């Protein structure tokens, strides 16, 4: 059985155990030896970060060849048009190439914890929330995708990776699961 830790990574925390100041690394939240992040979440993003002691499971979670869906709740500056949502759904062109198609939809503001520091508020510029589901994990991909369609990201929360969700886990808290080999799938074949 492999260990799998579901951490609600707070804003301002690095997705690593060393290299930051007090309160800025995973070591300040997860004191479990032998586990490592399966993928990354940048310092300015919050939400679900998976850690495991199993290298194969780590690769399955983080490698885009397994097509593991990642769901993000994204607060953006502006109101998305139908065209902007269609572009996200089709895939957008970034400097490092086109993204895979995403599932994108406008949602009501989710019931989330308060962020510290809070997101800047501007009376003259409306904001809105999107749910964005992707199967890649490029560096700052969601932020770059929303910016490419004219919707700069204000707040980014990863809510789900595959079947694992952040439901019921407070910022800085974590839950441990035991995962057997039956939960592993072969990589999806590419046509």
């Amino acid at each position: 059985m492999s260990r799998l830790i579901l951490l609600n990574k707070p804003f301002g925390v690095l997705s690593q155990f060393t290299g930051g100041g007090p309160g800025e690394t995973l070591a300040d939240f997860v004191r479990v030896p032998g586990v490592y992040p399966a993928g990354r979440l940048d310092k300015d993003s919050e939400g679900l970060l998976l850690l495991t002691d199993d290298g194969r499971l780590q690769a399955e979670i983080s490698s885009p060849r397994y097509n593991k869906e990642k769901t993000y709740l994204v607060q953006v500056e502006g109101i998305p048009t139908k065209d902007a949502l269609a572009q996200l759904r089709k895939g957008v062109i970034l400097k490092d190439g086109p993204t895979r198609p995403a599932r994108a939809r406008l949602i009501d503001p989710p019931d989330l914890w308060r962020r510290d520091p809070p997101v800047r508020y501007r009376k003259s510029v409306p904001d809105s929330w999107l749910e964005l589901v992707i199967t890649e994990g490029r560096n700052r991909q969601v932020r770059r995708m929303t910016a490419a369609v004219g919707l700069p990201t204000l707040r980014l929360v990863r809510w789900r990776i595959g079947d694992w969700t952040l439901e019921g886990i407070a910022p800085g808290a974590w839950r441990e699961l035991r995962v057997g080999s039956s939960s592993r799938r072969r990589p999806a074949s590419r046509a």
Side-chain angles (χ1 to χ4, degrees), residues 97-126:
T99 66
R100 290 181 184 167
R103 290 200 319 266
R105 66 185 183 107
L106 185 64
I107 61 171
D108 291 330
D111 184 21
L112 297 172
W113 54 90
R114 290 180 187 255
R115 195 185 86 176
D116 185 26
V119 172
R120 75 177 191 273
Y121 173 74
R122 295 179 8 189
K123 258 185 175 176
S124 62
V125 181

Side-chain angles (χ1 to χ4, degrees), residues 71-180:
T71 302
Y72 295 86
L73 306 178
V74 191
Q75 184 181 18
V76 295
E77 188 174 276
I79 307 296
T81 62
K82 288 181 182 181
D83 184 52
L85 291 173
Q87 287 178 54
L88 292 169
R89 292 176 186 135
K90 186 175 83 172
V92 297
I93 305 296
L94 302 176
K95 287 183 181 177
D96 55 350
T99 66
R100 290 181 184 167
R103 290 200 319 266
R105 66 185 183 107
L106 185 64
I107 61 171
D108 291 330
D111 184 21
L112 297 172
W113 54 90
R114 290 180 187 255
R115 195 185 86 176
D116 185 26
V119 172
R120 75 177 191 273
Y121 173 74
R122 295 179 8 189
K123 258 185 175 176
S124 62
V125 181
D127 63 70
S128 53
W129 284 87
L130 301 174
E131 180 185 77
L132 196 62
V133 181
I134 63 173
T135 57
E136 298 175 283
R138 298 184 205 178
N139 187 37
R140 299 178 71 84
Q141 180 176 342
V142 171
R143 292 178 187 281
R144 294 188 298 141
M145 288 175 73
T146 62
V149 298
L151 300 165
T153 294
L154 300 172
R155 186 175 183 191
L156 180 63
V157 178
R158 183 162 55 200
W159 189 257
R160 178 183 302 271
I161 299 173
D163 295 331
W164 301 294
T165 181
L166 199 56
E167 188 71 41
I169 305 173
W174 53 274
R175 177 178 343 156
E176 182 172 354
L177 303 175
R178 294 291 179 163
V179 181

Side-chain angles (χ1 to χ4, degrees), residues 42-59:
D42 68 52
K43 186 176 181 178
D44 297 331
S45 299
E46 311 162 68
L48 185 60
L49 183 65
L50 300 177
L51 299 96
T52 183
D53 61 353
D54 183 325
R56 289 177 58 194
L57 180 57
Q58 185 180 31

